Amino acid sequence: MASTDIAPVLPEGVGYGVVVGIGFFFTILMGFISWGQNTYTKYSTKTSEEFNTASRSVKPGLIACGVVSAWTWAATLLQSSTVAYEYGISGPFWVNAAGATVQIFMFSVLAVKVKQNAPMCHTFLEIVYRRYGAATHIIFICFALTTNILVASQLLLGGSAVVTALTGMNVYAAVFLIPTGVCAYVVLGGLRATFLCDYSHTIIVMIVILYFMFDVYTRNELIGSPTRMHELLARASELRPVAGNTNGSYLTLKSNGGLIFGVIQICSGMGTVFLDQGYWQRAIASRPRTAVRGYILGGFSWFAIPFGFASTLGLAAVALTDNPAYPTYPNPMTSTQVSSGLSAAFGAATLLGKNGAVALLITLFMAVTSSSSAQLIAVSSVLTFDVYKTYIKPEATPEQLIFVSHIMICAFGVVMATFACIWNAIGISLGWLFLVMGLIIGGAVFPAAFTLCWRKQSRIAAILGCLGGLAAGLTAWLIEAKVYYGELTVASTGSSYATLAGNMAGVLTGLIISVTVSMIKPDNFDWAITRSINATIDAVPTPPMTSNASERLPTVQLEDAEALEDELIIRHPERLNGDFKLALILSTVLTFIMVFLVPMPMFFTQYLFSDGFFKGWVVISFIWVFFALGACGLLPVWETREFWKALFKEVFSKKGKA
Ligand SMILES: NC(N)=O
């Protein structure tokens, strides 16, 4: 573990209290919610379809919330603050716009395609298996599980580093205790449980971000206004100019380091979205007509989190480094502290003392646990359906499938914690892992997307694309590290240029090989084959109360009506052609706006933010976080209002299934 060399702000007991106490609280809550779900709705957590796909019935507000939550890693908060500390305002902007929001927009295209071309699948790997057979399937399973191991262990690495820095809690205890509660509530409630925890956790994260934003920009005595922040950043630019930024300033988007980071992020984010079953699972869980809306709304809402958080705490860390209250004063942070993601922690503790530390601890814990729950249920589905059911027991009963799902959740909890311990023990930091993961998995990005979207991609093109991309990514990474820095060390392999070369080589080689080989000898795949995956599963789960409709609970009648609408769409996938076009147009236009239209004019003109412009930037960040809170907090309640009314009546008339 990278040493922080700073005395913890909070007692060790607070660390254990948060990690064990909140985990325990959510397990009890989930037990209660699962009981309510099994009693008052037709979706029973005891069926494998509900456990792994939430019966494909989730509405867009909750899908958006689930996407935000799965994509809000510890690193989202910590790394965006790190790049704010290193590159100024371009850091949080690039991490968001260039780095990560655009992949969520792009994924909306895959979300609608999955509804059209394989509406009853459980995992994207089932599509690979049906289209290309076992060898390709096994290769893609390796890429998918590598993605999940890297992401999940990185979540724990970042989360535990901050818990340890703030409370002095033993880092290995934190690494194992954080996923324990999450495993318990995911086993209890399955995918729908993770959506409900996503909802509560995401709202808490957003509220705490607003707490930090209001404090920093309206009342904190060390900063207290955008104008004061602007002054302090201008002073920091003179004292510690940033190499590669216009005039060394923290107040510009013209940042060479920020730009490089952005490009790495685009490549790496494509891998960690497109190859993570968690995002496919959200598309699979969505109602067919609203999948696109869920992802576009999710992308917009997610943008607010690192933008708001890092433009507050990351910039505050820059602004306050020269303040005697800053933990490292009179020195700037060491590179180890920066790479461990501690600028947000130091910023929060300087601004708000113990309150800031507790608020940050809770935010981090919420981010880590909700994204971990997405990882656990995603991997469990892959191991259950793509390994156990496909290769070990094809005739497995639903009871056996759900039993295996439970075991796999716990097993992956141990695996992710073990990997996080390994990274700690061998001195791999959050920053290193964040930059390197994309180059390992990037080769499979386009072959995976084309499997569902392009009838011409051949089996050999998919295989060669993945393996060629992997080889190119590793080769470019190591050669660049050796040639540019003269040695192969953790520092040189974690450098910007080496990871940039590796990430770009991985993703682009996968694309070029797949397209070239497919053009030479194209496939002509018939999507009817993948549409038949799991065709024997009822698109509309049979209500447990088999009596006539008038005797069914009002909640169940509502669910039946929605399920019938969805089944009609599944039978007529051409009805989603409009959604597909919409996803294509929105993802292209929004990507262009975020990656080029907004930042590039300011990059090329080397614009330095004036006080007034910076104020506007801050106001936009406030508006964006409020919008995200509305989308994730209010929309899911609004769109289920009929259900809540019906449930209220049922509970008070004591009418349940049992
Ligand atoms: N989820 C990310 N890439 O912050």
Side-chain angles (χ1 to χ4, degrees):
M1 165 64 194
S3 165
T4 63
D5 298 327
I6 297 291
V9 183
L10 298 168
E12 196 172 342
V14 174
Y16 282 95
V18 168
V19 170
V20 178
I22 301 185
F24 188 65
F25 170 78
F26 274 100
T27 306
I28 305 266
L29 181 68
M30 203 38 64
F32 177 72
I33 291 174
S34 298
W35 168 82
Q37 179 183 333
N38 293 341
T39 308
Y40 291 106
T41 79
K42 73 176 182 180
Y43 302 123
S44 166
T45 56
K46 298 186 181 86
T47 67
S48 163
E49 285 304 295
E50 168 62 18
F51 193 86
N52 286 292
T53 70
S55 303
R56 302 174 173 84
S57 64
V58 183
K59 296 187 169 70
L62 211 50
I63 292 290
C65 208
V67 169
V68 171
S69 154
W71 202 216
T72 305
W73 303 341
T76 304
L77 305 172
L78 303 179
Q79 198 63 20
S80 57
S81 300
T82 297
V83 289
Y85 193 82
E86 290 181 314
Y87 310 123
I89 50 173
S90 76
F93 184 81
W94 272 107
V95 166
N96 298 277
T101 304
V102 294
Q103 296 85 351
I104 302 292
F105 292 148
M106 291 175 196
F107 198 87
S108 65
V109 177
L110 296 184
V112 69
K113 275 289 165 198
V114 92
K115 292 295 177 197
Q116 286 191 302
N117 291 345
M120 298 309 289
C121 70
H122 303 105
T123 70
F124 77 101
L125 297 162
E126 285 179 337
I127 308 169
V128 176
Y129 182 72
R130 182 61 67 92
R131 181 165 177 183
Y132 295 127
T136 324
H137 184 229
I138 290 167
I139 291 171
F140 274 90
I141 289 178
C142 293
F143 275 94
L145 292 181
T146 303
T147 305
N148 289 118
I149 288 172
L150 289 169
V151 170
S153 60
Q154 181 240 79
L155 293 172
L156 292 179
L157 185 71
S160 62
V162 172
V163 173
T164 301
L166 292 177
T167 70
M169 181 179 179
N170 180 287
V171 71
Y172 295 104
V175 160
F176 275 96
L177 287 174
I178 291 171
T180 303
V182 187
C183 285
Y185 76 67
V186 177
V187 165
L188 271 177
L191 185 59
R192 200 179 296 270
T194 75
F195 280 119
L196 297 175
C197 283
D198 288 350
Y199 176 76
S200 57
H201 288 38
T202 301
I203 290 173
I204 294 170
V205 168
M206 288 175 178
I207 289 174
V208 177
I209 290 175
L210 281 172
Y211 164 68
F212 282 126
M213 291 172 77
F214 273 105
D215 186 76
V216 167
Y217 287 112
T218 67
R219 65 189 197 100
N220 191 281
E221 59 190 25
L222 298 180
I223 301 178
S225 69
T227 298
R228 182 71 185 135
M229 175 71 100
H230 188 270
E231 280 167 18
L232 289 170
L233 292 176
R235 193 162 69 98
S237 310
E238 283 162 21
L239 295 175
R240 288 171 281 111
V242 186
N245 282 24
T246 300
N247 297 348
S249 175
Y250 287 95
L251 287 159
T252 178
L253 289 188
K254 180 2 191 117
S255 168
N256 297 348
L259 182 64
I260 290 173
F261 193 88
V263 177
I264 296 173
Q265 275 290 80
I266 289 178
C267 299
S268 147
M270 288 176 91
T272 48
V273 171
F274 288 26
L275 300 172
D276 184 340
Q277 163 64 12
Y279 302 93
W280 294 90
Q281 201 155 25
R282 277 153 180 69
I284 290 163
S286 170
R287 297 188 66 194
R289 283 316 296 261
T290 53
V292 175
R293 236 181 293 163
Y295 278 81
I296 298 291
L297 207 54
F300 263 118
S301 304
W302 183 83
F303 183 97
I305 291 183
F307 186 43
F309 184 85
S311 300
T312 305
L313 287 190
L315 293 185
V318 176
L320 298 177
T321 293
D322 311 301
N323 189 303
Y326 200 73
T328 60
Y329 183 81
N331 303 310
M333 291 171 71
T334 64
S335 58
T336 305
Q337 288 165 338
V338 172
S339 187
S340 299
L342 295 178
S343 50
F346 291 172
T350 309
L351 290 160
L352 287 150
K354 283 191 175 19
N355 288 351
V358 170
L360 183 66
L361 198 59
I362 291 176
T363 321
L364 247 295
F365 186 76
M366 293 297 156
V368 173
T369 51
S370 59
S371 41
S372 297
S373 67
Q375 293 293 314
L376 287 167
I377 189 93
V379 172
S380 152
S381 298
V382 170
L383 296 175
T384 302
F385 292 103
D386 291 287
V387 178
Y388 177 71
K389 188 163 190 295
T390 306
Y391 296 112
I392 299 174
K393 194 156 189 192
E395 72 288 1
T397 62
E399 290 72 28
Q400 286 167 332
L401 291 176
I402 205 159
F403 177 72
V404 172
S405 299
H406 289 172
I407 302 284
M408 293 308 173
I409 287 167
C410 299
F412 189 64
V414 175
V415 170
M416 68 197 267
T418 305
F419 270 90
C421 289
I422 293 172
W423 307 138
N424 268 319
I426 64 175
I428 294 294
S429 69
L430 180 69
W432 191 94
L433 212 49
F434 198 76
L435 295 173
V436 166
M437 10 183 229
L439 65 92
I440 297 172
I441 57 177
V445 165
F446 283 99
F450 290 157
T451 299
L452 188 64
C453 297
W454 193 29
R455 64 173 72 238
K456 289 187 179 171
Q457 179 179 256
S458 63
R459 187 175 74 93
I460 193 72
I463 294 177
L464 290 179
C466 290
L467 300 183
L470 173 65
L474 292 177
T475 309
W477 174 45
L478 296 176
I479 288 182
E480 177 69 12
K482 177 78 180 155
V483 169
Y484 199 82
Y485 299 94
E487 56 180 10
L488 284 181
T489 59
V490 172
S492 71
T493 53
S495 64
S496 297
Y497 288 120
T499 52
L500 176 68
N503 274 280
M504 289 188 70
V507 174
L508 295 178
T509 307
L511 171 66
I512 292 166
I513 293 181
S514 167
V515 171
T516 311
V517 176
S518 300
M519 294 310 257
I520 293 170
K521 195 166 185 308
D523 195 5
N524 184 21
F525 189 70
D526 179 359
W527 298 116
I529 296 170
T530 47
R531 272 189 212 119
S532 70
I533 294 173
N534 302 320
T536 52
I537 294 173
D538 276 347
V540 185
T542 311
M545 296 179 59
T546 48
S547 50
N548 67 47
S550 64
E551 285 176 16
R552 280 189 216 137
L553 296 174
T555 44
V556 174
Q557 289 175 27
L558 280 173
E559 288 157 357
D560 281 347
E562 287 172 356
L564 283 170
E565 273 172 35
D566 295 349
E567 192 185 14
L568 208 59
I569 305 275
I570 287 171
R571 292 213 179 115
H572 299 279
E574 69 283 356
R575 293 192 183 181
L576 292 174
N577 286 349
D579 294 58
F580 173 65
K581 279 188 201 134
L582 181 73
L584 215 50
I585 291 169
L586 282 179
S587 57
T588 308
V589 170
L590 292 172
T591 299
F592 175 75
I593 292 174
M594 288 188 153
V595 176
F596 294 102
L597 197 64
V598 174
M600 287 308 158
M602 284 190 266
F603 186 94
F604 287 115
T605 56
Q606 309 205 3
Y607 179 66
L608 287 172
F609 280 31
S610 65
D611 179 33
F613 196 86
F614 183 69
K615 261 188 212 146
W617 192 257
V618 171
V619 169
I620 289 171
S621 70
F622 271 88
I623 293 171
W624 215 306
V625 180
F626 274 112
F627 163 81
L629 188 57
C632 293
L634 301 181
L635 186 61
V637 178
W638 173 252
E639 64 196 10
T640 48
R641 60 196 178 284
E642 296 302 329
F643 170 83
W644 293 113
K645 268 192 240 159
L647 181 67
F648 189 76
K649 275 194 211 144
E650 279 161 30
V651 170
F652 285 96
S653 64
K654 298 211 171 30
K655 198 173 163 192
K657 270 173 10 191

